[in-house]
Amino acid sequence: MNKYIRSLVLVLLLQLISGGKVFSQSITIQSPDKRIKAELLCQQQNNTGEWYLKVSYQHNNTAVTAIPRIDLGLIRNDQDFSKQLKFIRAGKPALLKEQYTTVHGKRSVHSNTGNQVVASFENPSKAKLNIIIAAYNDGVVFRYEFPDKQGSFVVKDELTSYSISRETTRWLEKWNPANEGYYTEMKNAQATPGEWCYPALFKSTDSTCWFLLHEADLDETYCGTKLSNMADSSKYKLSFPNPKDGRGQGESTPTINLPWKSPWRVINIGSLSDIVESTLVDDVSPPSRITNTAWIRPGLVSWNYWSDNHGTKDFKTVCEFADLAAAMGWPYTLLDWEWDAMGNGGKLEDAIRYIHAKGVKPLMWYNSGGNHTWVNATPKDRMLTHENRVEEFAKLKKLGVDGIKVDFFESEKQDMIKYYLDIVRDAAQFEIMVYFHGCLVPRGWARTYPNLMTYEAVRGAEWYNNVPDFTNAAPSHNTILPFTRNVVGAMDYTPVTFTNSQHPHITSYGHELALSVLFESGLQHLADRPDGYYSLPDAARTFLRDVPNAWDDIKLLDGYPGQEISMARRKGDNWYVGSINGQNREKKKTIKLDFLQEGVKYKMILIADGKHDKELLPSYRMVQRSDSVDVRLLRRGGFAASFKPVQ
């Protein structure tokens, strides 16, 4: 074998070992476990032209084309980076391997591995563009990079577009600035044109491959995007914010300064359990910029808005919810809107003193303010500037307030992305936790700024106060959220209600109790009135005193969006299971306990549906990993269970 042949073989071997291979007209990158593959291809079958990605998934030695084509490219105000891109080189594929910990979320210790390649291009004017592609064991991510060292430009359009087979089943939420809509299931060649929220869920025709589209590592150097198939119902193109969002304030096209990288375009791929258990959005986001996180403490919160729209205006109501948090062992209570108009026996300072006297910590609501929102609820001016925030956070620190809820953002334009991040950064300087409401869907920020505890961005229990249609929609809707919205980050649905607010609910008590396990949120606001919890059976009250809301591990046991879901979560040595039925027929389920540790016996407390939807039936049993449990779920029912090792 001559020297040239030996060198060529060595290069090919190195590329195969590292997970990638490069040809004159394509670049291929594989996940470390070889199940996921991304190919960068040229439409013109040479080294110059329009480039696109093809993403495949291997299941039982059979390759499935998940997304046959993802169009690529950007258009700046000065020139085009899409139609005549000349391939220059591809860097050597790099192995990515990381382990990190988080304070709250679906998993405390994260381990991820991937293979990454950087492909370099230039357009006819010799301007440079890099496309960075990485394949992880749970998905593919890619982003654009302008490597030049100087220049300021407006991105007029991003051409990223996902071509989806018409036979693919999809769950999509119609675009709305607060991300508070329903998911609609579309199948059998249905592909309604429209604008759609992140994340979007898809299932291949043979059910072996699922994928979820989202974005991560968004910051003030860009705007948020959404999906649009208005021009072609089979192509979901990324689109910028609507100019009218946020009352028309701010530019809908982002201004970038070189060098620059776009957010990651994220495609979770695999089985349904791969999707639900993934932390890919966090994995590709920047590490924590907060070194001391001891002051960041996730926990359950009592919340008076659901049962009494003007609860915080009434000092006595505030005291009742502080008493509830104390009685249930929850660390927090929220002073929602109208705390600045509190009366009936006390003002804000009196309420905070009372809350502290009960051993509970207060959180406080703020209007994001400014001309971007139509809502005039006060205080409206405390978060708008750095100076405003520093002054307010100093007052909150002195009062002993641990966190803030900031509401009504109504836009994902570039200036609003900066506003979000400025709030979180300034709050961290005063060791204040943050909760965003009326806001965007998570983009991985909680990894970078772990004092960002949760987001609303979901049609949650608050909607029982808003519209009558939520009553019948909620049971099925609740089974879709763990497969979609809650996959990508904390979700404050404000769950677990047993009484009714303005409009009734038809979910069973077992269904409601299970939501405390199924839905993950760093600050979990339990929404019912005090009597709703005090009147529960002892087993259910004890469960809600003990159930964590920051987890060490997660396992999807079974389920299907819109029908049912069963999930196990672990905290320390203890496991918790939540299961709900979203359908109008009774079900019997067998839950295998193979998620438990081998050789350990556990005390199981199972709280299931009773004879009717307002009855809970506790049962107790010793179990181990080889056991299974049979449970009856009422229509729209559910159950919750805890498993604690016996020493």
Side-chain angles (χ1 to χ4, degrees):
M1 184 181 294
N2 65 37
K3 183 177 180 181
Y4 172 78
I5 296 295
R6 285 198 302 271
S7 299
L8 180 60
V9 170
L10 179 60
V11 169
L12 289 174
L13 283 173
L14 287 172
Q15 290 171 343
L16 288 171
I17 290 169
S18 61
K21 49 186 176 178
V22 179
F23 299 105
S24 62
Q25 294 159 6
S26 70
I27 300 168
T28 299
I29 194 83
Q30 283 185 299
S31 60
D33 65 5
K34 308 298 183 187
R35 292 193 308 157
I36 297 170
K37 180 173 70 173
E39 300 171 79
L40 183 59
L41 304 163
C42 183
Q43 179 173 304
Q44 286 71 25
Q45 297 296 306
N46 54 40
N47 284 349
T48 302
E50 298 176 75
W51 293 78
Y52 65 95
L53 278 171
K54 176 183 176 182
V55 178
S56 305
Y57 172 72
Q58 186 165 306
H59 177 75
N60 291 337
N61 297 319
T62 300
V64 177
T65 300
I67 309 177
R69 182 179 177 114
I70 306 171
D71 291 315
L72 301 170
L74 296 162
I75 298 176
R76 291 192 327 211
N77 62 321
D78 63 326
Q79 52 192 306
D80 185 295
F81 291 84
S82 65
K83 297 188 183 304
Q84 298 182 58
L85 287 178
K86 180 181 179 181
F87 173 69
I88 304 300
R89 71 181 66 86
K92 179 181 176 181
L95 175 66
L96 308 173
K97 194 169 184 178
E98 185 182 28
Q99 182 167 311
Y100 64 96
T101 60
T102 51
V103 181
H104 53 88
K106 68 173 76 171
R107 188 176 288 114
S108 58
V109 179
H110 305 246
S111 296
N112 63 77
T113 57
N115 291 309
Q116 178 176 290
V117 67
V118 180
S120 299
F121 299 86
E122 64 181 22
N123 69 4
S125 66
K126 306 296 184 182
K128 303 295 189 290
L129 172 70
N130 294 337
I131 299 175
I132 306 170
I133 311 162
Y136 290 82
N137 291 337
D138 54 351
V140 169
V141 299
F142 64 94
R143 74 192 322 172
Y144 304 100
E145 178 183 36
F146 288 126
D148 290 341
K149 301 302 181 184
Q150 61 183 2
S152 181
F153 306 97
V154 174
V155 178
K156 304 298 289 184
D157 197 7
E158 179 173 337
L159 303 180
T160 305
S161 177
Y162 302 91
S163 294
I164 307 295
S165 165
R166 291 186 181 275
E167 289 71 36
T168 302
T169 306
R170 60 207 72 194
W171 286 261
L172 300 172
E173 177 188 344
K174 187 176 180 180
W175 165 253
N176 63 98
N179 296 277
E180 293 182 41
Y182 295 116
Y183 275 86
T184 300
E185 180 181 353
M186 305 175 201
K187 55 185 177 181
N188 299 327
Q190 296 172 339
T192 305
E195 292 185 321
W196 310 99
C197 297
Y198 288 125
L201 179 66
F202 300 84
K203 183 192 73 170
S204 66
T205 54
D206 62 0
S207 301
T208 60
C209 175
W210 296 74
F211 57 95
L212 188 82
L213 301 182
H214 194 40
E215 66 181 6
D217 193 17
L218 167 67
D219 63 18
E220 60 265 56
T221 65
Y222 211 55
C223 60
T225 65
K226 57 184 180 294
L227 298 168
S228 173
N229 65 338
M230 296 289 287
D232 181 341
S233 63
S234 65
K235 287 188 174 184
Y236 292 85
K237 180 187 174 298
L238 269 60
S239 62
F240 292 153
N242 299 337
K244 292 183 180 179
D245 289 349
R247 295 184 67 189
Q249 302 295 305
E251 296 297 326
S252 59
T253 51
T255 297
I256 62 171
N257 297 303
L258 306 192
W260 171 86
K261 292 179 182 177
S262 75
W264 287 110
R265 306 304 170 211
V266 178
I267 312 163
N268 279 113
I269 308 172
S271 65
L272 260 186
S273 59
D274 291 327
I275 301 294
V276 170
E277 297 167 17
S278 173
T279 58
L280 185 58
V281 169
D282 287 336
D283 294 345
V284 299
S285 295
S288 176
R289 293 176 183 166
I290 300 175
T291 53
N292 172 25
T293 59
W295 54 275
I296 302 171
R297 300 182 183 93
L300 302 183
V301 189
S302 67
W303 185 53
N304 62 42
Y305 177 86
W306 183 84
S307 58
D308 186 341
N309 202 344
H310 301 280
T312 307
K313 201 172 183 179
D314 189 305
F315 172 75
K316 292 181 179 177
T317 300
V318 170
C319 293
E320 289 172 4
F321 279 82
D323 292 342
L324 170 64
M328 296 298 291
W330 303 338
Y332 304 108
T333 190
L334 175 69
L335 303 178
D336 215 303
W337 75 310
E338 298 183 316
W339 54 258
D340 56 340
M342 194 182 302
N344 194 23
K347 298 293 185 183
L348 173 65
E349 291 77 7
D350 304 307
I352 290 177
R353 280 193 294 270
Y354 185 90
I355 292 166
H356 282 144
K358 292 293 180 175
V360 177
K361 299 172 182 178
L363 311 174
M364 284 173 56
W365 177 95
Y366 287 86
N367 190 335
S368 67
N371 292 327
H372 62 266
T373 176
W374 296 94
V375 181
N376 291 317
T378 59
K380 195 175 178 180
D381 59 350
R382 313 282 178 93
M383 295 291 126
L384 282 175
T385 67
H386 172 71
E387 291 73 22
N388 291 152
R389 292 188 293 272
V390 166
E391 181 180 356
E392 191 67 11
F393 292 157
K395 291 178 183 176
L396 295 181
K397 194 70 176 174
K398 188 174 182 180
L399 285 170
V401 174
D402 277 43
I404 57 169
K405 171 183 176 180
V406 189
D407 207 346
F408 303 123
F409 289 90
E410 302 183 27
S411 165
E412 296 184 14
K413 296 175 182 176
Q414 186 175 19
D415 63 334
M416 193 59 64
I417 301 303
K418 181 179 185 301
Y419 185 30
Y420 277 114
L421 292 171
D422 284 345
I423 291 172
V424 177
R425 291 164 180 153
D426 286 346
Q429 298 303 310
F430 290 84
E431 298 188 346
I432 289 174
M433 298 181 293
V434 177
Y435 161 27
F436 289 137
H437 197 79
C439 61
L440 83 178
V441 170
R443 300 305 208 279
W445 295 346
R447 180 185 176 189
T448 313
Y449 303 102
N451 64 316
L452 176 51
M453 307 301 289
T454 191
Y455 312 66
E456 186 191 25
V458 65
R459 197 177 192 91
E462 181 180 282
W463 281 85
Y464 284 116
N465 281 336
N466 299 340
V467 291
D469 62 70
F470 195 65
T471 294
N472 290 316
S476 174
H477 176 65
N478 293 347
T479 70
I480 296 174
L481 296 174
F483 298 106
T484 53
R485 164 63 181 86
N486 213 184
V487 170
V488 301
M491 176 186 80
D492 195 38
Y493 176 103
T494 59
V496 190
T497 58
F498 303 100
T499 65
N500 289 325
S501 61
Q502 188 143 332
H503 302 286
H505 61 80
I506 56 174
T507 51
S508 77
Y509 277 24
H511 184 119
E512 290 295 319
L513 188 65
L515 299 183
S516 66
V517 177
L518 289 173
F519 294 163
E520 180 270 313
S521 180
L523 291 173
Q524 185 77 282
H525 292 70
L526 300 191
D528 210 345
R529 51 181 55 83
D531 287 349
Y533 299 113
Y534 295 151
S535 61
L536 291 173
D538 289 344
R541 282 203 314 276
T542 300
F543 188 90
L544 289 175
R545 287 192 185 102
D546 294 345
V547 66
N549 70 306
W551 304 96
D552 294 326
D553 204 359
I554 175 177
K555 298 290 182 185
L556 176 67
L557 303 181
D558 66 18
Y560 190 89
Q563 297 179 14
E564 61 181 332
I565 182 170
S566 300
M567 182 187 293
R569 296 188 190 266
R570 180 177 62 83
K571 182 68 172 181
D573 295 328
N574 301 331
W575 283 91
Y576 297 81
V577 170
S579 178
I580 58 173
N581 177 8
Q583 296 181 303
N584 290 321
R585 58 182 179 87
E586 186 175 301
K587 294 184 180 182
K588 291 183 179 179
K589 296 194 65 64
T590 297
I591 301 294
K592 294 181 179 180
L593 304 183
D594 53 5
F595 54 87
L596 298 177
Q597 184 177 339
E598 186 70 57
V600 177
K601 289 189 175 181
Y602 293 79
K603 180 180 180 181
M604 178 187 73
I605 302 176
L606 173 68
I607 307 170
D609 290 324
K611 294 179 181 179
H612 53 79
D613 60 3
K614 292 181 172 57
E615 183 180 60
L616 292 169
L617 186 62
S619 61
Y620 308 84
R621 176 180 154 190
M622 299 298 296
V623 296
Q624 56 190 351
R625 179 184 173 89
S626 58
D627 291 334
S628 60
V629 179
D630 296 324
V631 192
R632 167 179 162 268
L633 280 68
L634 293 176
R635 57 180 185 170
R636 308 178 301 275
F639 73 86
S642 63
F643 300 82
K644 298 183 179 180
V646 178
Q647 302 299 325

